[in-house]
Structures are given as C-alpha cells and as structure tokens.
Amino acid sequence: MQAGASLVVPSQHEERALYVIKGSIALGDEHIGAATMVVLREGEEVPVVSASGAHLALIGGDKLQVPRRLWWNFAHTDMAKIDDAKQRWKNREFAEVPGDEEFIPLPE
C-alpha cells in the first residue's frame, strides 16, 4: 500500500488476520508497525489506512471443521502427522534454512 492509501478488509470470511510485513498501518486509532499480526473480529468490515506505506499479507477463510493440534513448531489436525514430523525433525530430514547454521533440537 502506498502511504495514505486505504482498503477495507471485507467481512465475508469467518477467520481473518493481517500481517504487516513492513511499514505501518492504522486500524481506527490504533497504529500497527512492521512484524505484527492482527486477528480481526468476525463479521465486521475493517478499514485499513497505510500510515507510511506498507506491505501486508491478508490471511483468512472459513473455520476448519476439525480441531487443530499444535506441538512445538508443528501444527496439524492429525496427531499422527505431528508425530511423524517429530521423527523427521530428529532425523534432520527437513530442508535447512539458507544462511541459518544452528540446529535446534526437538524439545524433550
């Protein structure tokens, strides 16, 4: 978004959030800076104004119909998939992050 530009986040999706990648925005009287995620209330349109020029990610959709599970850095609806990811992490089967030389072991 250019500085001073505005947009309205529509209300049609049940779950919505926006992430300010860089720059800053205003949501009403609240100013939100870079590297911040804001979860939006269901059912209301949200006007967003770019205070300084901003790069945003809009995230949203319908609610999942099954419960989400979370363990450390792994999230899934099926605990068996999380258990598989744990083993794959222990075996260092995930691709490394470029430039990151530190390996963080799986919590006990």
Side-chain angles (χ1 to χ4, degrees), residues 43-62:
E44 64 183 49
E45 290 188 342
V46 178
V48 178
V49 175
S50 175
S52 65
H55 188 173
L56 307 174
L58 300 175
I59 305 160
D62 295 334

Side-chain angles (χ1 to χ4, degrees), residues 52-93:
S52 65
H55 188 173
L56 307 174
L58 300 175
I59 305 160
D62 295 334
K63 291 180 181 176
L64 294 176
Q65 300 303 309
V66 293
R68 289 165 272 197
R69 311 272 189 245
L70 177 66
W71 188 89
W72 190 49
N73 289 332
F74 305 121
H76 203 283
T77 56
D78 182 347
M79 276 305 293
K81 296 282 187 181
I82 292 175
D83 290 338
D84 179 62
K86 288 179 190 179
Q87 190 60 50
R88 290 178 56 218
W89 185 267
K90 284 181 184 179
N91 296 341
R92 299 187 82 160
E93 295 174 17

Side-chain angles (χ1 to χ4, degrees), residues 8 99 107:
V8 174

